[in-house]
Amino acid sequence: MRAHEIQIEIDDVASCPGSCAGCILTKDERLSHGPMMSEDMLERVHGRVAEYVGTLEGLKTINITYGIADHLMMPDGYVERLYRRGADLVLGSGISGGECAVFFTTSVIGRYEKVAPKLERIAETIVEGVPLYPVVVLDPCKLQLTEYGKTYAKSFALSRTLFGKVDLTLNLSRSAIRSMTAKELCDFASEHGFSWLTVNLAPTRQNYEATLGARAEIQDWLLEFAKEADARSIAYSYGPVMRRSLAATTINPGDFVINEVVFETTAKSLQVDHHGNIMFKAEAIGDVFHGERFGYKPMGNVEDGPIRPMVDVAKHKISRAIVQDHLKVPACRDCQYLNPCMMTGFHTYNRMLGEMGGWPKGDGCPHVAKALFNHYAAEVAAA
């Protein structure tokens, strides 16, 4: 999280109760992930977010993401209306250009004859200064289908032509990494010209066994992917997060750096669910938010009033929770990467491990962070 940037995710459709890692819903069933945010709530959320952005100083970039659902499956015109709301919010702030953008999640799959006109209609609504980018949610199991890439290559290419770039995201689980090697993912991303690759490891009560229960396998996959992606200059999510955390503690060692970073992140990385609950969103292997699925209470709700007072109160509680979630784990207390790890979202993994399975005995890392920090440490030290 850069000091001049704010990232807001608005989940206008509820998430699948079991999370999307290893989700077995078919394309036609994805709207059953959960109820959509009401029109009244959407307006209220945008109003509160616009009001909140106006209280922050020094912003140069605003990113609004409409997440979780396959938005191309929504009724005609829905994405256009969402985009205009996001664009109006950005333009109303007086900040535009640069890296300001609106994003929406989608699979961009389906019959080309149906997908192409929808993409073209959406692209026609884009206003100057606020680009719109699709975020393609990939089901790793589909990479095993030999015709998958060929079947949807035209849709991916059209998306790049219309929007300038397309990002790719996927959720890790035991079944995901067994369906797709790191090299296969890099090959797919390169072949179809995806600009940014977000890898998510989001352990919840529902998917615990498929995620943290497979942490040794997932750790090896993440290391393999980091090496492959770096060697091929593929931009991806967790590398920059871990490099920044290492660099911050190398330059300014000490606990004060943790508060400084956490306070900044709490203020500028927010997620709003379909009920209007406002949550802190941390970065670990992808984004993990402080919501009930991860054992945390939201900061508040847009119905309760302005966001700024909620953030000002919550940032102290969040900082304490992060420290506590690390210090509860014996292996974390004396870890050489304790400080940089506390600047990320890995504490959510500790929380879920403690709740669901207990922390491993011995001095090994309870999840995947230490091996990854080891991977990036020499590079950061030499920079």
Side-chain angles (χ1 to χ4, degrees):
M1 174 57 57
R2 294 169 293 183
H4 58 74
E5 177 179 79
I6 185 168
Q7 299 177 359
I8 308 285
E9 178 173 335
I10 299 172
D11 293 335
D12 51 298
V13 178
S15 63
C16 172
S19 154
C20 291
C23 183
I24 61 172
L25 296 180
T26 67
K27 179 180 69 175
D28 292 331
E29 294 171 325
R30 285 180 188 158
L31 285 179
S32 66
H33 269 41
M36 294 173 65
M37 186 183 285
S38 70
E39 283 290 322
D40 285 348
M41 182 60 76
L42 267 172
E43 293 304 323
R44 201 164 293 117
V45 167
H46 284 87
R48 290 296 187 196
V49 170
E51 176 187 53
Y52 177 63
V53 167
T55 70
L56 301 174
E57 297 179 356
L59 286 181
K60 297 179 182 178
T61 301
I62 303 176
N63 286 334
I64 305 291
T65 300
Y66 298 100
I68 294 183
D70 187 343
H71 283 86
L72 283 191
M73 292 188 65
M74 300 301 189
D76 281 354
Y78 182 74
V79 177
E80 294 98 305
R81 295 197 300 275
L82 281 181
Y83 166 72
R84 289 312 300 249
R85 284 183 171 105
D88 287 347
L89 193 158
V90 173
L91 294 172
S93 71
I95 303 166
S96 63
E99 297 178 352
C100 291
V102 175
F103 300 80
F104 69 97
T105 56
T106 178
S107 67
V108 193
I109 64 174
R111 290 176 56 193
Y112 182 77
E113 294 76 14
K114 288 188 175 181
V115 169
K118 280 198 170 189
L119 291 172
E120 289 166 349
R121 284 196 298 271
I122 293 167
E124 289 173 357
T125 67
I126 297 175
V127 297
E128 185 176 354
V130 190
L132 175 64
Y133 298 128
V135 179
V136 174
V137 181
L138 176 68
D139 177 354
C141 297
K142 287 191 167 56
L143 287 188
Q144 297 303 312
L145 305 176
T146 54
E147 297 300 312
Y148 175 74
K150 294 178 182 178
T151 301
Y152 301 111
K154 286 176 65 177
S155 294
F156 298 146
L158 178 62
S159 298
R160 287 199 313 276
T161 299
L162 293 174
F163 302 104
K165 74 167 189 172
V166 185
D167 292 351
L168 185 68
T169 185
L170 74 155
N171 298 307
L172 287 188
S173 64
R174 180 185 283 109
S175 63
I177 63 172
R178 290 179 180 177
S179 300
M180 167 200 64
T181 67
K183 183 179 183 304
E184 285 172 332
L185 176 60
C186 288
D187 287 345
F188 180 81
S190 297
E191 180 181 356
H192 297 290
F194 290 101
S195 301
W196 179 266
L197 220 166
T198 297
V199 178
N200 293 311
L201 179 61
T204 68
R205 297 180 183 93
Q206 290 81 10
N207 70 17
Y208 171 82
E209 188 52 42
T211 53
L212 288 182
R215 55 192 175 275
E217 292 177 73
I218 289 174
Q219 172 188 283
D220 292 345
W221 190 96
L222 287 165
L223 283 168
E224 179 189 353
F225 176 79
K227 293 171 184 176
E228 186 78 22
D230 288 341
R232 295 163 64 164
S233 299
I234 295 173
Y236 63 102
S237 55
Y238 59 90
V241 173
M242 302 191 79
R243 290 183 181 107
R244 285 197 304 267
S245 299
L246 283 165
T249 50
T250 299
I251 297 167
N252 296 301
D255 292 344
F256 74 95
V257 182
I258 297 164
N259 273 347
E260 183 178 307
V261 171
V262 171
F263 289 177
E264 187 83 41
T265 306
T266 304
K268 295 177 180 174
S269 183
L270 301 176
Q271 186 159 345
V272 187
D273 71 11
H274 73 293
H275 292 301
N277 292 314
I278 303 157
M279 295 162 287
F280 162 63
K281 184 170 68 172
E283 295 178 294
I285 308 302
D287 293 331
V288 281
F289 60 91
H290 270 210
E292 291 181 359
R293 287 200 300 144
F294 296 92
Y296 300 92
K297 292 182 179 179
M299 296 182 190
N301 190 285
V302 294
E303 305 276 18
D304 300 335
I307 295 174
R308 183 58 185 264
M310 299 176 194
V311 170
D312 289 342
V313 171
K315 65 184 182 182
H316 299 280
K317 294 180 180 178
I318 290 169
S319 184
R320 286 195 298 272
I322 288 172
V323 173
Q324 290 168 0
D325 285 339
H326 277 85
L327 296 185
K328 285 176 185 174
V329 185
C332 293
R333 293 172 198 156
D334 298 318
C335 178
Q336 69 198 92
Y337 299 119
L338 175 61
N339 279 0
C341 200
M342 284 197 287
M343 294 182 192
T344 68
F346 286 111
H347 63 284
T348 58
Y349 300 3
N350 283 357
R351 173 73 66 100
M352 196 55 57
L353 277 163
E355 180 179 332
M356 298 296 296
W359 304 293
K361 295 180 180 179
D363 58 1
C365 180
H367 34 78
V368 300
K370 189 170 186 177
L372 290 167
F373 276 125
N374 273 332
H375 172 72
Y376 297 113
E379 173 192 331
V380 171

